Amino acid sequence: MMSEIWKCKGFANAHTHLDKGMLVPEVVYVDAPASIRGGWTREKKAEFTKMDIYDRAEKALLQMIRYGTTYVRTHVDVDPVVGLKGIEAMLELQQAFAKHIVIDITAFNQEGFDRYPETEKLLQEALTMGRMGLGGHTLVDVDGKLHIRKMMAMAEQFDVPWLEFHTDESGKPEDFLLPFLAEQALEQECGDKIYAIHCNSLATVPDIKAAKTIELMANAKLHVTVCPTAVATRPITRTKELLKAGIPVGLGSDNMGDLFNPLGGGNMLGYAQLLAYVQRFYEPEEQLALLDMIRRGPADLLSASSHHELNVSVVFETQEARELLSHVPLPQIVQDKVCSA
């Protein structure tokens, strides 16, 4: 027998790529190495128009809303291949969906400075177009530490509200730059603005090194975003250890229907269920922690006011974490009523 209904403000998708999403099935997915698929993605980006990006992102947003998501943070590629078309489309979507979902934009340096030096000026231009964060990638340039320094300097120059890094995404111990990122954040006292996404290599370094890094991250006040779909190609980070250390952890869908992941419906309960299976979030307290991850996300930290002011209620027929994670039910979305939780 189901317990009493659960009404909440909705779920938070802490990380996705709306500008590149929903290419599949129009573009046939081929399971090639990541570097090859990255090249194919650049070829597709060269064909993008602002309306094309808008239409595909709108399709993804409608799916997310159907499953009870009321906050999403999306990385949007900024480089000479696609220019600022993605940023322009997302800013328009922010306005169009303002009554339904909060969209936070991160101007993303997906391709790196080495491949496209012009990206630096384009990112700076993007940051003048509206409120948004800045995103980097610790593995896209030959000197990952220099990449981190340059992105942090730009973030400081433009006083961005948040700075995010795809961090050690390969999962290889030799790519472990998370300690350096934490040290820089601690030194500059800006860790409360920094989100480390993925942190895959944290799962593959020795336990002692991982423990010291997690302690450093906690001291630096870093945030972490976990994307469990990465398990298809890489180990997932040490989520339970991060939570135990008191580090804020959000959950993201990552890619949706593109050349990096042809699947992905945008159902945050589904992603939470995946993480529960992969890392055995089976105990009652652990199940509640998963629900907290998709209810809280970065929204409570940076966009709390707009997120709470949405006149949307998301209603489930149960408030039992085990039921929600077992069955991943569709919610009832109630518009024009103030959420009570």
Side-chain angles (χ1 to χ4, degrees):
M1 182 177 179
M2 290 288 189
S3 60
E4 63 185 58
I5 67 168
W6 181 42
K7 181 183 286 188
C8 67
K9 68 186 178 185
F11 297 135
N13 185 344
H15 176 64
T16 192
H17 297 269
L18 290 175
D19 58 321
K20 294 179 289 194
M22 313 309 285
L23 288 169
V24 176
E26 284 74 16
V27 175
V28 177
Y29 178 87
V30 178
D31 203 15
S35 59
I36 301 298
R37 287 179 285 125
W40 292 339
T41 299
R42 283 191 289 276
E43 292 176 5
K44 291 304 299 181
K45 282 200 300 184
E47 302 172 1
F48 287 175
T49 65
K50 185 177 76 171
M51 185 55 64
D52 166 52
I53 295 169
Y54 186 103
D55 289 344
R56 287 184 288 100
E58 181 180 45
K59 186 186 299 184
L61 287 167
L62 290 171
Q63 287 186 185
M64 291 181 191
I65 291 168
R66 177 171 178 255
Y67 291 118
T69 296
T70 54
Y71 173 92
V72 60
R73 178 172 294 176
T74 180
H75 277 214
V76 180
D77 285 18
V78 173
D79 53 56
V81 178
V82 71
L84 298 170
K85 291 192 283 287
I87 297 292
E88 293 168 354
M90 291 308 139
L91 288 170
E92 291 184 11
L93 282 161
Q94 271 186 336
Q95 296 302 313
F97 279 80
K99 294 182 179 180
H100 307 280
I101 186 170
V102 175
I103 304 170
D104 270 346
I105 301 168
T106 296
F108 181 35
N109 187 358
Q110 166 74 83
E111 308 292 353
F113 297 113
D114 292 350
R115 180 178 279 118
Y116 298 118
E118 312 96 308
T119 295
E120 184 170 4
K121 289 186 178 180
L122 285 169
L123 285 169
Q124 292 172 349
E125 184 176 351
L127 294 174
T128 67
M129 295 170 66
R131 180 185 180 275
M132 67 187 72
L134 183 64
H137 197 312
T138 64
L139 299 181
V140 292
D141 289 330
V142 173
D143 189 339
K145 291 182 178 180
L146 179 60
H147 179 94
I148 291 171
R149 289 194 186 99
K150 289 183 71 171
M151 297 301 292
M152 292 184 74
M154 191 184 302
E156 182 179 12
Q157 178 186 351
F158 286 85
D159 191 25
V160 299
W162 64 87
L163 173 62
E164 300 184 296
F165 287 97
H166 283 60
T167 308
D168 309 337
E169 197 172 357
S170 72
K172 298 177 181 178
E174 59 266 33
D175 292 330
F176 194 45
L177 286 174
L178 182 55
F180 177 80
L181 177 61
E183 289 167 358
Q184 292 295 301
L186 188 61
E187 180 180 319
Q188 299 184 34
E189 298 182 344
C190 61
D192 58 339
K193 288 187 175 184
I194 295 180
Y195 289 75
I197 303 169
H198 294 303
C199 303
N200 301 98
S201 295
L202 184 64
T204 57
V205 297
D207 291 344
I208 293 176
K209 189 172 186 178
K212 290 181 178 179
T213 301
I214 291 172
E215 182 180 3
L216 179 61
M217 295 167 69
N219 290 337
K221 300 180 181 180
L222 286 186
H223 309 283
V224 171
T225 302
V226 176
C227 301
T229 54
V231 74
T233 54
R234 292 147 286 159
I236 303 298
T237 195
R238 300 173 186 248
T239 312
K240 288 186 181 181
E241 294 171 53
L242 291 166
L243 289 169
K244 187 175 181 180
I247 295 172
V249 180
L251 198 66
S253 67
D254 206 6
N255 304 80
M256 290 176 55
D258 63 16
L259 296 179
F260 289 94
N261 178 9
L263 308 179
N267 188 339
M268 294 311 299
L269 273 177
Y271 299 112
Q273 183 192 65
L274 174 60
L275 188 59
Y277 282 131
V278 171
Q279 297 196 327
R280 299 183 63 82
F281 276 74
Y282 287 167
E283 296 180 7
E285 295 79 9
E286 294 172 342
Q287 294 172 28
L288 289 172
L290 275 182
L291 291 186
D292 283 344
M293 287 168 63
I294 61 175
R295 290 181 64 192
R296 182 179 64 240
D300 279 356
L301 299 169
L302 297 173
S303 295
S305 59
S306 57
H307 192 44
H308 283 281
E309 289 169 5
L310 279 179
N311 292 327
V312 178
S313 293
V314 177
V315 182
F316 290 91
E317 293 182 352
T318 178
Q319 60 180 353
E320 295 295 328
R322 191 185 68 82
E323 291 285 340
L324 292 165
L325 292 169
S326 295
H327 301 291
V328 191
L330 274 173
Q332 178 186 3
I333 311 299
V334 182
Q335 193 73 41
D336 298 323
K337 292 192 177 183
V338 178
C339 181
S340 64

